[in-house]
Amino acid sequence: MPLQLVHEGAQDHRAAPLGLDCYIGLPDPDAAHLATMLESKAEAVMAGADPGDEIAFLTALGDPASLSHRATIGSMALDLAPDPVTENPSYDGLASARSLARFLASFVGEVDGFRLTSREIARELRTVHSSGTCRTTLLPTTWGLGVMLPDGPLFPASAGLGTAFGLGGANGNFTFADPERDLAFAYVQNAGSAEIGRMDERASRLVEAVYRSTGAGV
């Protein structure tokens, strides 16, 4: 998920103009309001649970030699208690849904007078740069520049996302922006998905409801 690092440049030039609460490593954890996270299937696998055979990615997570493991939990200190100050870019982004939605919105239009990119760069962001089986998630995925594009099980056009770009997180978090609808959306939760490999059903229902409310339908 595209989050802001807590470095001076990112804070001054991106987070501050948009009023974002988005971090990888909190500068002041005592001042933050953090939700208590409940264990999901992904966390259970990380802790050594049997992933079963329902999806190759879960099995690969438990294999230290796999790219799936090295690109995700391989960067994490699993033997230590979670620490919001620690910068684990592959997994420990912290943000509110409102901030994530504002961040995505700033790619396609002005948010309180601030736009993160030009229209030309936004178009390039949404251009297909790769498509096929992702070597990390082992799922069919279409990518723009750091964002998912329809179609694929994590970012399906069938949910109404045919003109959108964004990111479906492995644990159920979901963000997107749809320039054709002038729409940005973010969903975060504290109880991760029961499975990995497709768009979380909770997020899917919300996305479909949002598109219905705009008259777009699904």
PDB file of all heavy atoms in Angstrom, residues 146-186:
ATOM      1  N   GLY A 146       3.069   0.668  -9.394  1.00  0.00           N
ATOM      2  CA  GLY A 146       2.873   0.515  -7.955  1.00  0.00           C
ATOM      3  C   GLY A 146       1.436   0.367  -7.532  1.00  0.00           C
ATOM      4  O   GLY A 146       1.144   0.373  -6.328  1.00  0.00           O
ATOM      5  N   VAL A 147       0.527   0.227  -8.471  1.00  0.00           N
ATOM      6  CA  VAL A 147      -0.893   0.070  -8.149  1.00  0.00           C
ATOM      7  C   VAL A 147      -1.465  -1.096  -8.942  1.00  0.00           C
ATOM      8  O   VAL A 147      -1.002  -1.412 -10.047  1.00  0.00           O
ATOM      9  CB  VAL A 147      -1.696   1.346  -8.449  1.00  0.00           C
ATOM     10  CG1 VAL A 147      -1.272   2.482  -7.528  1.00  0.00           C
ATOM     11  CG2 VAL A 147      -1.566   1.752  -9.911  1.00  0.00           C
ATOM     12  N   MET A 148      -2.478  -1.729  -8.374  1.00  0.00           N
ATOM     13  CA  MET A 148      -3.187  -2.793  -9.067  1.00  0.00           C
ATOM     14  C   MET A 148      -4.216  -2.189 -10.019  1.00  0.00           C
ATOM     15  O   MET A 148      -4.822  -1.151  -9.736  1.00  0.00           O
ATOM     16  CB  MET A 148      -3.899  -3.702  -8.073  1.00  0.00           C
ATOM     17  CG  MET A 148      -2.988  -4.578  -7.246  1.00  0.00           C
ATOM     18  SD  MET A 148      -3.947  -5.608  -6.094  1.00  0.00           S
ATOM     19  CE  MET A 148      -2.605  -6.570  -5.378  1.00  0.00           C
ATOM     20  N   LEU A 149      -4.397  -2.877 -11.133  1.00  0.00           N
ATOM     21  CA  LEU A 149      -5.425  -2.520 -12.100  1.00  0.00           C
ATOM     22  C   LEU A 149      -6.344  -3.725 -12.290  1.00  0.00           C
ATOM     23  O   LEU A 149      -5.929  -4.866 -12.090  1.00  0.00           O
ATOM     24  CB  LEU A 149      -4.786  -2.137 -13.436  1.00  0.00           C
ATOM     25  CG  LEU A 149      -3.727  -1.026 -13.407  1.00  0.00           C
ATOM     26  CD1 LEU A 149      -3.078  -0.884 -14.784  1.00  0.00           C
ATOM     27  CD2 LEU A 149      -4.339   0.298 -12.979  1.00  0.00           C
ATOM     28  N   PRO A 150      -7.589  -3.491 -12.684  1.00  0.00           N
ATOM     29  CA  PRO A 150      -8.463  -4.632 -12.958  1.00  0.00           C
ATOM     30  C   PRO A 150      -7.897  -5.399 -14.157  1.00  0.00           C
ATOM     31  O   PRO A 150      -7.405  -4.768 -15.100  1.00  0.00           O
ATOM     32  CB  PRO A 150      -9.802  -3.994 -13.292  1.00  0.00           C
ATOM     33  CG  PRO A 150      -9.672  -2.546 -12.904  1.00  0.00           C
ATOM     34  CD  PRO A 150      -8.234  -2.207 -12.928  1.00  0.00           C
ATOM     35  N   ASP A 151      -7.880  -6.712 -14.175  1.00  0.00           N
ATOM     36  CA  ASP A 151      -8.641  -7.589 -13.328  1.00  0.00           C
ATOM     37  C   ASP A 151      -7.693  -8.483 -12.539  1.00  0.00           C
ATOM     38  O   ASP A 151      -6.497  -8.398 -12.696  1.00  0.00           O
ATOM     39  CB  ASP A 151      -9.572  -8.433 -14.207  1.00  0.00           C
ATOM     40  CG  ASP A 151     -10.802  -8.962 -13.482  1.00  0.00           C
ATOM     41  OD1 ASP A 151     -10.986  -8.624 -12.313  1.00  0.00           O
ATOM     42  OD2 ASP A 151     -11.570  -9.713 -14.112  1.00  0.00           O
ATOM     43  N   GLY A 152      -8.217  -9.368 -11.743  1.00  0.00           N
ATOM     44  CA  GLY A 152      -7.453 -10.255 -10.901  1.00  0.00           C
ATOM     45  C   GLY A 152      -8.248 -10.462  -9.627  1.00  0.00           C
ATOM     46  O   GLY A 152      -9.104  -9.642  -9.276  1.00  0.00           O
ATOM     47  N   PRO A 153      -7.992 -11.544  -8.893  1.00  0.00           N
ATOM     48  CA  PRO A 153      -8.811 -11.859  -7.722  1.00  0.00           C
ATOM     49  C   PRO A 153      -8.708 -10.842  -6.592  1.00  0.00           C
ATOM     50  O   PRO A 153      -9.642 -10.699  -5.802  1.00  0.00           O
ATOM     51  CB  PRO A 153      -8.290 -13.230  -7.283  1.00  0.00           C
ATOM     52  CG  PRO A 153      -6.913 -13.332  -7.865  1.00  0.00           C
ATOM     53  CD  PRO A 153      -6.968 -12.570  -9.144  1.00  0.00           C
ATOM     54  N   LEU A 154      -7.580 -10.112  -6.503  1.00  0.00           N
ATOM     55  CA  LEU A 154      -7.434  -9.131  -5.438  1.00  0.00           C
ATOM     56  C   LEU A 154      -7.997  -7.759  -5.818  1.00  0.00           C
ATOM     57  O   LEU A 154      -8.275  -6.933  -4.947  1.00  0.00           O
ATOM     58  CB  LEU A 154      -5.958  -8.980  -5.052  1.00  0.00           C
ATOM     59  CG  LEU A 154      -5.311 -10.184  -4.392  1.00  0.00           C
ATOM     60  CD1 LEU A 154      -3.838  -9.893  -4.103  1.00  0.00           C
ATOM     61  CD2 LEU A 154      -6.026 -10.570  -3.105  1.00  0.00           C
ATOM     62  N   PHE A 155      -8.157  -7.519  -7.113  1.00  0.00           N
ATOM     63  CA  PHE A 155      -8.661  -6.218  -7.582  1.00  0.00           C
ATOM     64  C   PHE A 155      -9.579  -6.477  -8.774  1.00  0.00           C
ATOM     65  O   PHE A 155      -9.264  -6.145  -9.910  1.00  0.00           O
ATOM     66  CB  PHE A 155      -7.491  -5.314  -7.971  1.00  0.00           C
ATOM     67  CG  PHE A 155      -7.812  -3.839  -7.932  1.00  0.00           C
ATOM     68  CD1 PHE A 155      -7.733  -3.139  -6.734  1.00  0.00           C
ATOM     69  CD2 PHE A 155      -8.201  -3.158  -9.074  1.00  0.00           C
ATOM     70  CE1 PHE A 155      -8.021  -1.781  -6.687  1.00  0.00           C
ATOM     71  CE2 PHE A 155      -8.482  -1.803  -9.032  1.00  0.00           C
ATOM     72  CZ  PHE A 155      -8.401  -1.105  -7.843  1.00  0.00           C
ATOM     73  N   PRO A 156     -10.758  -7.066  -8.530  1.00  0.00           N
ATOM     74  CA  PRO A 156     -11.606  -7.551  -9.623  1.00  0.00           C
ATOM     75  C   PRO A 156     -12.478  -6.468 -10.250  1.00  0.00           C
ATOM     76  O   PRO A 156     -13.099  -5.661  -9.560  1.00  0.00           O
ATOM     77  CB  PRO A 156     -12.475  -8.604  -8.933  1.00  0.00           C
ATOM     78  CG  PRO A 156     -12.586  -8.121  -7.513  1.00  0.00           C
ATOM     79  CD  PRO A 156     -11.263  -7.460  -7.209  1.00  0.00           C
ATOM     80  N   ALA A 157     -12.539  -6.462 -11.562  1.00  0.00           N
ATOM     81  CA  ALA A 157     -13.447  -5.555 -12.262  1.00  0.00           C
ATOM     82  C   ALA A 157     -14.891  -5.857 -11.902  1.00  0.00           C
ATOM     83  O   ALA A 157     -15.745  -4.971 -11.928  1.00  0.00           O
ATOM     84  CB  ALA A 157     -13.230  -5.669 -13.767  1.00  0.00           C
ATOM     85  N   SER A 158     -15.175  -7.098 -11.538  1.00  0.00           N
ATOM     86  CA  SER A 158     -16.545  -7.497 -11.216  1.00  0.00           C
ATOM     87  C   SER A 158     -17.106  -6.766 -10.006  1.00  0.00           C
ATOM     88  O   SER A 158     -18.325  -6.713  -9.813  1.00  0.00           O
ATOM     89  CB  SER A 158     -16.600  -9.012 -10.971  1.00  0.00           C
ATOM     90  OG  SER A 158     -15.752  -9.374  -9.890  1.00  0.00           O
ATOM     91  N   ALA A 159     -16.237  -6.174  -9.172  1.00  0.00           N
ATOM     92  CA  ALA A 159     -16.704  -5.405  -8.019  1.00  0.00           C
ATOM     93  C   ALA A 159     -17.058  -3.974  -8.409  1.00  0.00           C
ATOM     94  O   ALA A 159     -17.456  -3.176  -7.555  1.00  0.00           O
ATOM     95  CB  ALA A 159     -15.641  -5.396  -6.922  1.00  0.00           C
ATOM     96  N   GLY A 160     -16.907  -3.647  -9.699  1.00  0.00           N
ATOM     97  CA  GLY A 160     -17.192  -2.297 -10.172  1.00  0.00           C
ATOM     98  C   GLY A 160     -15.951  -1.481 -10.443  1.00  0.00           C
ATOM     99  O   GLY A 160     -16.029  -0.298 -10.740  1.00  0.00           O
ATOM    100  N   LEU A 161     -14.776  -2.123 -10.364  1.00  0.00           N
ATOM    101  CA  LEU A 161     -13.505  -1.411 -10.397  1.00  0.00           C
ATOM    102  C   LEU A 161     -12.909  -1.285 -11.791  1.00  0.00           C
ATOM    103  O   LEU A 161     -11.704  -1.086 -11.932  1.00  0.00           O
ATOM    104  CB  LEU A 161     -12.506  -2.136  -9.480  1.00  0.00           C
ATOM    105  CG  LEU A 161     -12.904  -2.186  -8.004  1.00  0.00           C
ATOM    106  CD1 LEU A 161     -12.112  -3.269  -7.273  1.00  0.00           C
ATOM    107  CD2 LEU A 161     -12.673  -0.832  -7.351  1.00  0.00           C
ATOM    108  N   GLY A 162     -13.729  -1.362 -12.827  1.00  0.00           N
ATOM    109  CA  GLY A 162     -13.211  -1.404 -14.185  1.00  0.00           C
ATOM    110  C   GLY A 162     -12.401  -0.203 -14.601  1.00  0.00           C
ATOM    111  O   GLY A 162     -11.546  -0.302 -15.477  1.00  0.00           O
ATOM    112  N   THR A 163     -12.629   0.970 -13.999  1.00  0.00           N
ATOM    113  CA  THR A 163     -11.877   2.176 -14.368  1.00  0.00           C
ATOM    114  C   THR A 163     -11.035   2.692 -13.206  1.00  0.00           C
ATOM    115  O   THR A 163     -10.618   3.855 -13.200  1.00  0.00           O
ATOM    116  CB  THR A 163     -12.847   3.284 -14.830  1.00  0.00           C
ATOM    117  OG1 THR A 163     -13.818   3.544 -13.808  1.00  0.00           O
ATOM    118  CG2 THR A 163     -13.567   2.866 -16.102  1.00  0.00           C
ATOM    119  N   ALA A 164     -10.776   1.845 -12.222  1.00  0.00           N
ATOM    120  CA  ALA A 164     -10.091   2.257 -10.995  1.00  0.00           C
ATOM    121  C   ALA A 164      -8.657   1.726 -10.938  1.00  0.00           C
ATOM    122  O   ALA A 164      -8.248   0.869 -11.723  1.00  0.00           O
ATOM    123  CB  ALA A 164     -10.869   1.767  -9.776  1.00  0.00           C
ATOM    124  N   PHE A 165      -7.888   2.246 -10.002  1.00  0.00           N
ATOM    125  CA  PHE A 165      -6.581   1.699  -9.652  1.00  0.00           C
ATOM    126  C   PHE A 165      -6.440   1.778  -8.141  1.00  0.00           C
ATOM    127  O   PHE A 165      -7.064   2.614  -7.484  1.00  0.00           O
ATOM    128  CB  PHE A 165      -5.438   2.445 -10.346  1.00  0.00           C
ATOM    129  CG  PHE A 165      -5.299   3.886  -9.924  1.00  0.00           C
ATOM    130  CD1 PHE A 165      -4.528   4.235  -8.822  1.00  0.00           C
ATOM    131  CD2 PHE A 165      -5.923   4.899 -10.634  1.00  0.00           C
ATOM    132  CE1 PHE A 165      -4.387   5.562  -8.418  1.00  0.00           C
ATOM    133  CE2 PHE A 165      -5.791   6.228 -10.251  1.00  0.00           C
ATOM    134  CZ  PHE A 165      -5.023   6.561  -9.138  1.00  0.00           C
ATOM    135  N   GLY A 166      -5.627   0.905  -7.574  1.00  0.00           N
ATOM    136  CA  GLY A 166      -5.470   0.923  -6.121  1.00  0.00           C
ATOM    137  C   GLY A 166      -4.689  -0.277  -5.636  1.00  0.00           C
ATOM    138  O   GLY A 166      -3.786  -0.761  -6.329  1.00  0.00           O
ATOM    139  N   LEU A 167      -5.055  -0.792  -4.480  1.00  0.00           N
ATOM    140  CA  LEU A 167      -4.333  -1.919  -3.908  1.00  0.00           C
ATOM    141  C   LEU A 167      -5.253  -2.718  -3.002  1.00  0.00           C
ATOM    142  O   LEU A 167      -5.911  -2.155  -2.120  1.00  0.00           O
ATOM    143  CB  LEU A 167      -3.126  -1.436  -3.097  1.00  0.00           C
ATOM    144  CG  LEU A 167      -2.102  -2.523  -2.762  1.00  0.00           C
ATOM    145  CD1 LEU A 167      -1.352  -2.949  -4.017  1.00  0.00           C
ATOM    146  CD2 LEU A 167      -1.115  -2.038  -1.713  1.00  0.00           C
ATOM    147  N   GLY A 168      -5.279  -4.025  -3.224  1.00  0.00           N
ATOM    148  CA  GLY A 168      -5.967  -4.941  -2.331  1.00  0.00           C
ATOM    149  C   GLY A 168      -4.940  -5.585  -1.422  1.00  0.00           C
ATOM    150  O   GLY A 168      -4.062  -6.313  -1.884  1.00  0.00           O
ATOM    151  N   GLY A 169      -4.996  -5.282  -0.132  1.00  0.00           N
ATOM    152  CA  GLY A 169      -4.014  -5.810   0.808  1.00  0.00           C
ATOM    153  C   GLY A 169      -4.273  -7.270   1.146  1.00  0.00           C
ATOM    154  O   GLY A 169      -5.412  -7.741   1.125  1.00  0.00           O
ATOM    155  N   ALA A 170      -3.205  -7.984   1.490  1.00  0.00           N
ATOM    156  CA  ALA A 170      -3.316  -9.408   1.792  1.00  0.00           C
ATOM    157  C   ALA A 170      -4.195  -9.681   2.993  1.00  0.00           C
ATOM    158  O   ALA A 170      -4.759 -10.757   3.130  1.00  0.00           O
ATOM    159  CB  ALA A 170      -1.926 -10.004   2.021  1.00  0.00           C
ATOM    160  N   ASN A 171      -4.347  -8.710   3.863  1.00  0.00           N
ATOM    161  CA  ASN A 171      -5.087  -8.930   5.101  1.00  0.00           C
ATOM    162  C   ASN A 171      -6.489  -8.334   5.080  1.00  0.00           C
ATOM    163  O   ASN A 171      -7.155  -8.238   6.094  1.00  0.00           O
ATOM    164  CB  ASN A 171      -4.310  -8.346   6.292  1.00  0.00           C
ATOM    165  CG  ASN A 171      -4.179  -9.361   7.407  1.00  0.00           C
ATOM    166  OD1 ASN A 171      -4.468 -10.541   7.215  1.00  0.00           O
ATOM    167  ND2 ASN A 171      -3.755  -8.929   8.569  1.00  0.00           N
ATOM    168  N   GLY A 172      -6.953  -7.902   3.898  1.00  0.00           N
ATOM    169  CA  GLY A 172      -8.311  -7.393   3.783  1.00  0.00           C
ATOM    170  C   GLY A 172      -8.429  -5.905   3.588  1.00  0.00           C
ATOM    171  O   GLY A 172      -9.486  -5.408   3.202  1.00  0.00           O
ATOM    172  N   ASN A 173      -7.356  -5.134   3.859  1.00  0.00           N
ATOM    173  CA  ASN A 173      -7.410  -3.694   3.595  1.00  0.00           C
ATOM    174  C   ASN A 173      -7.572  -3.456   2.101  1.00  0.00           C
ATOM    175  O   ASN A 173      -7.066  -4.223   1.277  1.00  0.00           O
ATOM    176  CB  ASN A 173      -6.134  -3.009   4.079  1.00  0.00           C
ATOM    177  CG  ASN A 173      -5.943  -3.142   5.568  1.00  0.00           C
ATOM    178  OD1 ASN A 173      -6.905  -3.096   6.333  1.00  0.00           O
ATOM    179  ND2 ASN A 173      -4.702  -3.319   6.002  1.00  0.00           N
ATOM    180  N   PHE A 174      -8.267  -2.364   1.754  1.00  0.00           N
ATOM    181  CA  PHE A 174      -8.532  -2.140   0.338  1.00  0.00           C
ATOM    182  C   PHE A 174      -8.616  -0.648   0.053  1.00  0.00           C
ATOM    183  O   PHE A 174      -9.289   0.094   0.771  1.00  0.00           O
ATOM    184  CB  PHE A 174      -9.852  -2.805  -0.075  1.00  0.00           C
ATOM    185  CG  PHE A 174      -9.984  -2.985  -1.561  1.00  0.00           C
ATOM    186  CD1 PHE A 174      -9.433  -4.091  -2.179  1.00  0.00           C
ATOM    187  CD2 PHE A 174     -10.636  -2.048  -2.327  1.00  0.00           C
ATOM    188  CE1 PHE A 174      -9.524  -4.261  -3.550  1.00  0.00           C
ATOM    189  CE2 PHE A 174     -10.738  -2.199  -3.698  1.00  0.00           C
ATOM    190  CZ  PHE A 174     -10.185  -3.319  -4.312  1.00  0.00           C
ATOM    191  N   THR A 175      -7.918  -0.198  -0.989  1.00  0.00           N
ATOM    192  CA  THR A 175      -7.955   1.211  -1.386  1.00  0.00           C
ATOM    193  C   THR A 175      -8.082   1.297  -2.900  1.00  0.00           C
ATOM    194  O   THR A 175      -7.574   0.440  -3.623  1.00  0.00           O
ATOM    195  CB  THR A 175      -6.684   1.968  -0.965  1.00  0.00           C
ATOM    196  OG1 THR A 175      -5.558   1.423  -1.677  1.00  0.00           O
ATOM    197  CG2 THR A 175      -6.429   1.861   0.529  1.00  0.00           C
ATOM    198  N   PHE A 176      -8.764   2.341  -3.368  1.00  0.00           N
ATOM    199  CA  PHE A 176      -8.771   2.587  -4.802  1.00  0.00           C
ATOM    200  C   PHE A 176      -9.159   4.032  -5.085  1.00  0.00           C
ATOM    201  O   PHE A 176      -9.754   4.719  -4.240  1.00  0.00           O
ATOM    202  CB  PHE A 176      -9.724   1.635  -5.537  1.00  0.00           C
ATOM    203  CG  PHE A 176     -11.186   1.958  -5.388  1.00  0.00           C
ATOM    204  CD1 PHE A 176     -11.818   2.856  -6.236  1.00  0.00           C
ATOM    205  CD2 PHE A 176     -11.946   1.342  -4.402  1.00  0.00           C
ATOM    206  CE1 PHE A 176     -13.176   3.150  -6.103  1.00  0.00           C
ATOM    207  CE2 PHE A 176     -13.296   1.624  -4.262  1.00  0.00           C
ATOM    208  CZ  PHE A 176     -13.914   2.535  -5.115  1.00  0.00           C
ATOM    209  N   ALA A 177      -8.802   4.478  -6.275  1.00  0.00           N
ATOM    210  CA  ALA A 177      -9.273   5.747  -6.812  1.00  0.00           C
ATOM    211  C   ALA A 177      -9.831   5.469  -8.197  1.00  0.00           C
ATOM    212  O   ALA A 177      -9.290   4.648  -8.936  1.00  0.00           O
ATOM    213  CB  ALA A 177      -8.151   6.767  -6.888  1.00  0.00           C
ATOM    214  N   ASP A 178     -10.918   6.135  -8.533  1.00  0.00           N
ATOM    215  CA  ASP A 178     -11.554   5.971  -9.836  1.00  0.00           C
ATOM    216  C   ASP A 178     -11.691   7.346 -10.481  1.00  0.00           C
ATOM    217  O   ASP A 178     -12.606   8.109 -10.166  1.00  0.00           O
ATOM    218  CB  ASP A 178     -12.928   5.321  -9.679  1.00  0.00           C
ATOM    219  CG  ASP A 178     -13.522   4.916 -11.022  1.00  0.00           C
ATOM    220  OD1 ASP A 178     -13.129   5.493 -12.046  1.00  0.00           O
ATOM    221  OD2 ASP A 178     -14.386   4.022 -11.038  1.00  0.00           O
ATOM    222  N   PRO A 179     -10.765   7.710 -11.364  1.00  0.00           N
ATOM    223  CA  PRO A 179     -10.796   9.045 -11.981  1.00  0.00           C
ATOM    224  C   PRO A 179     -12.065   9.297 -12.778  1.00  0.00           C
ATOM    225  O   PRO A 179     -12.510  10.444 -12.893  1.00  0.00           O
ATOM    226  CB  PRO A 179      -9.562   9.039 -12.886  1.00  0.00           C
ATOM    227  CG  PRO A 179      -8.678   7.970 -12.339  1.00  0.00           C
ATOM    228  CD  PRO A 179      -9.593   6.930 -11.790  1.00  0.00           C
ATOM    229  N   GLU A 180     -12.653   8.252 -13.344  1.00  0.00           N
ATOM    230  CA  GLU A 180     -13.856   8.428 -14.149  1.00  0.00           C
ATOM    231  C   GLU A 180     -15.054   8.818 -13.285  1.00  0.00           C
ATOM    232  O   GLU A 180     -16.012   9.427 -13.779  1.00  0.00           O
ATOM    233  CB  GLU A 180     -14.163   7.135 -14.916  1.00  0.00           C
ATOM    234  CG  GLU A 180     -13.032   6.638 -15.792  1.00  0.00           C
ATOM    235  CD  GLU A 180     -12.599   7.671 -16.815  1.00  0.00           C
ATOM    236  OE1 GLU A 180     -13.489   8.353 -17.368  1.00  0.00           O
ATOM    237  OE2 GLU A 180     -11.390   7.808 -17.057  1.00  0.00           O
ATOM    238  N   ARG A 181     -15.015   8.450 -12.002  1.00  0.00           N
ATOM    239  CA  ARG A 181     -16.129   8.744 -11.089  1.00  0.00           C
ATOM    240  C   ARG A 181     -15.781   9.838 -10.086  1.00  0.00           C
ATOM    241  O   ARG A 181     -16.606  10.176  -9.233  1.00  0.00           O
ATOM    242  CB  ARG A 181     -16.506   7.475 -10.311  1.00  0.00           C
ATOM    243  CG  ARG A 181     -16.903   6.318 -11.182  1.00  0.00           C
ATOM    244  CD  ARG A 181     -18.273   6.483 -11.761  1.00  0.00           C
ATOM    245  NE  ARG A 181     -18.585   5.441 -12.712  1.00  0.00           N
ATOM    246  CZ  ARG A 181     -19.666   5.424 -13.475  1.00  0.00           C
ATOM    247  NH1 ARG A 181     -20.533   6.423 -13.383  1.00  0.00           N
ATOM    248  NH2 ARG A 181     -19.872   4.449 -14.331  1.00  0.00           N
ATOM    249  N   ASP A 182     -14.541  10.365 -10.175  1.00  0.00           N
ATOM    250  CA  ASP A 182     -14.094  11.364  -9.205  1.00  0.00           C
ATOM    251  C   ASP A 182     -14.240  10.805  -7.785  1.00  0.00           C
ATOM    252  O   ASP A 182     -14.780  11.462  -6.880  1.00  0.00           O
ATOM    253  CB  ASP A 182     -14.910  12.647  -9.336  1.00  0.00           C
ATOM    254  CG  ASP A 182     -14.022  13.876  -9.401  1.00  0.00           C
ATOM    255  OD1 ASP A 182     -12.793  13.697  -9.464  1.00  0.00           O
ATOM    256  OD2 ASP A 182     -14.546  14.995  -9.363  1.00  0.00           O
ATOM    257  N   LEU A 183     -13.730   9.614  -7.596  1.00  0.00           N
ATOM    258  CA  LEU A 183     -14.001   8.849  -6.377  1.00  0.00           C
ATOM    259  C   LEU A 183     -12.714   8.261  -5.809  1.00  0.00           C
ATOM    260  O   LEU A 183     -11.860   7.784  -6.546  1.00  0.00           O
ATOM    261  CB  LEU A 183     -14.972   7.710  -6.722  1.00  0.00           C
ATOM    262  CG  LEU A 183     -15.389   6.734  -5.638  1.00  0.00           C
ATOM    263  CD1 LEU A 183     -16.208   7.445  -4.554  1.00  0.00           C
ATOM    264  CD2 LEU A 183     -16.214   5.599  -6.258  1.00  0.00           C
ATOM    265  N   ALA A 184     -12.557   8.333  -4.492  1.00  0.00           N
ATOM    266  CA  ALA A 184     -11.463   7.647  -3.802  1.00  0.00           C
ATOM    267  C   ALA A 184     -12.045   6.931  -2.592  1.00  0.00           C
ATOM    268  O   ALA A 184     -12.981   7.425  -1.946  1.00  0.00           O
ATOM    269  CB  ALA A 184     -10.381   8.622  -3.367  1.00  0.00           C
ATOM    270  N   PHE A 185     -11.487   5.784  -2.270  1.00  0.00           N
ATOM    271  CA  PHE A 185     -12.077   4.894  -1.261  1.00  0.00           C
ATOM    272  C   PHE A 185     -10.959   4.203  -0.481  1.00  0.00           C
ATOM    273  O   PHE A 185      -9.924   3.853  -1.053  1.00  0.00           O
ATOM    274  CB  PHE A 185     -12.927   3.842  -1.976  1.00  0.00           C
ATOM    275  CG  PHE A 185     -13.431   2.711  -1.114  1.00  0.00           C
ATOM    276  CD1 PHE A 185     -14.710   2.746  -0.581  1.00  0.00           C
ATOM    277  CD2 PHE A 185     -12.636   1.596  -0.855  1.00  0.00           C
ATOM    278  CE1 PHE A 185     -15.192   1.692   0.192  1.00  0.00           C
ATOM    279  CE2 PHE A 185     -13.103   0.549  -0.078  1.00  0.00           C
ATOM    280  CZ  PHE A 185     -14.387   0.604   0.453  1.00  0.00           C
ATOM    281  N   ALA A 186     -11.174   4.008   0.800  1.00  0.00           N
ATOM    282  CA  ALA A 186     -10.244   3.206   1.603  1.00  0.00           C
ATOM    283  C   ALA A 186     -11.016   2.460   2.684  1.00  0.00           C
ATOM    284  O   ALA A 186     -11.915   3.022   3.314  1.00  0.00           O
ATOM    285  CB  ALA A 186      -9.172   4.083   2.237  1.00  0.00           C
TER     286      ALA A 186
END
